[in-house]
Amino acid sequence: FKVLADHLSKNGFAVLRYDDRGIGGSKGEVNLATTINFASDANAAVDFMSTQQMVRTDKIGVIGHSEGALIADMVAAENDKVNYIALLSGPILKGDSLLILQSYALGKVAGLAEPALEVNKRNNRKLYDILLRDEPPKVLAESLETELIRQNNGNALTADMKIKLSPMLIPWFKTFIRIDPAYYLKQVKVPIFASFGGKDIQVPANENIYALQRLHLNTTDVTIKNYPNLNHLFQNAQTGKIEEYFENPESFNVQLMNDLTNWLKLKAK
């Protein structure tokens, strides 16, 4: 979020933003990259910051949004140069469970009836169970196609089903559904700020807040904020639908920005 980076800079923070692997000026092959690779990149960014004379090396923090928040967990768990983390719409549930919940929430705001939502949930669970097997890619692809044909009452795959199948086979997806943020969060020993939007349908707030509250963490300095009317991008929203992101004149909620800035100032004293 450029607006957040600018706001923090104006409040005295040195902010490092960088292009993702394979994007803009950054090198690397993004199509083969996974969350593990992105966490390695973020680790390198923290190490870089620790060499800058303008930076107080005992006050380096990581702010991440969505998958970036998961990456913040991963970096803080292993890099002792990190002194605090801020998780914005960060997943707490394991990847496969999160995606099933996300699909349910997307279907609900789209107007699907409860029986259809439950069928989709069961179907997605079966697909992810196949992907979690330790089998060669060709075998996984064949098993997924067989399951999708079964879900289509024995008929050949529709165009929509083929579109659904393709991204499941890329390294990022197969890695993401295996990652359990709790594994990393339980290793974090630094202060945590975690914010969620009540109308977020990509990282639904209630279930993820509940999961975070139940974790036995290695830090007692945890601030959890729930903003009932904000979506995944922390905009005031009507429904939380993804289409609203692009129509919304609000880039990033001012209240959250101020809450986060005040928290960061306390941690950077």
Side-chain angles (χ1 to χ4, degrees):
F1 294 100
K2 182 179 178 181
V3 65
L4 177 58
D6 183 61
H7 179 79
L8 292 175
S9 295
K10 289 175 179 175
N11 278 270
F13 291 92
V15 179
L16 173 65
R17 295 172 68 233
Y18 59 92
D19 292 329
D20 287 340
R21 180 180 294 218
I23 306 296
S26 294
K27 297 179 181 179
E29 179 51 68
V30 69
N31 292 329
L32 299 176
T34 69
T35 305
I36 306 296
N37 301 125
F38 297 141
S40 175
D41 295 342
N43 247 320
V46 170
D47 290 342
F48 171 79
M49 286 293 277
S50 72
T51 66
Q52 304 306 300
Q53 290 186 347
M54 72 175 73
V55 174
R56 291 175 57 188
T57 56
D58 63 332
K59 298 298 180 183
I60 293 174
V62 179
I63 302 174
H65 174 256
S66 197
E67 183 189 8
L70 167 59
I71 289 167
D73 304 339
M74 297 167 75
V75 174
E78 64 178 63
N79 193 326
D80 59 10
K81 297 185 183 77
V82 178
N83 294 276
Y84 48 87
I85 56 174
L87 315 177
L88 311 180
S89 292
I92 310 299
L93 300 172
K94 185 168 171 279
D96 55 344
S97 297
L98 176 72
L99 293 179
I100 288 172
L101 182 62
Q102 183 185 106
S103 177
Y104 181 92
L106 286 165
K108 192 166 187 177
V109 298
L112 287 183
E114 191 63 30
L117 291 170
E118 289 299 324
V119 169
N120 285 345
K121 187 187 292 185
R122 290 194 297 272
N123 285 342
N124 284 330
R125 179 71 273 167
K126 288 175 180 176
L127 293 171
Y128 296 157
D129 284 345
I130 291 170
L131 277 171
L132 289 168
R133 297 174 190 166
D134 187 18
E135 295 179 341
K138 187 174 185 296
V139 175
L140 286 177
E142 290 170 352
S143 298
L144 286 171
E145 185 168 345
T146 298
E147 173 57 25
L148 282 170
I149 289 172
R150 185 200 67 77
Q151 292 180 14
N152 199 32
N153 299 315
N155 298 313
L157 297 187
T158 64
D160 284 346
M161 285 182 162
K162 289 179 181 178
I163 291 171
K164 183 176 183 178
L165 175 62
S166 182
M168 288 185 181
L169 298 170
I170 65 173
W172 179 87
F173 195 96
K174 290 192 287 184
T175 300
F176 185 80
I177 64 171
R178 286 173 165 77
I179 295 178
D180 187 355
Y183 171 80
Y184 298 99
L185 280 165
K186 286 188 282 190
Q187 299 177 59
V188 173
K189 298 177 181 179
V190 299
I192 299 171
F193 178 97
S195 64
F196 299 89
K199 292 187 177 176
D200 187 343
I201 59 174
Q202 292 184 253
V203 182
N206 290 341
E207 293 85 351
N208 282 279
I209 290 173
Y210 180 71
L212 179 56
Q213 290 172 332
R214 287 175 59 85
L215 286 182
H216 297 291
L217 300 174
N218 267 318
T219 176
T220 58
D221 192 343
V222 181
T223 298
I224 301 174
K225 294 274 192 179
N226 185 13
Y227 299 85
N229 295 317
L230 302 188
N231 62 17
H232 186 62
L233 299 186
F234 294 106
Q235 305 163 314
N236 276 286
Q238 295 297 315
T239 66
K241 287 182 179 179
I242 292 174
E243 305 92 85
E244 291 179 352
Y245 299 172
F246 312 102
E247 303 166 355
N248 199 315
E250 185 177 32
S251 57
F252 193 89
N253 183 255
V254 172
Q255 182 62 59
L256 167 56
M257 193 150 48
N258 289 334
D259 290 345
L260 174 58
T261 302
N262 290 334
W263 183 86
L264 290 170
K265 285 180 176 178
L266 287 173
K267 302 309 161 188
K269 278 185 177 178

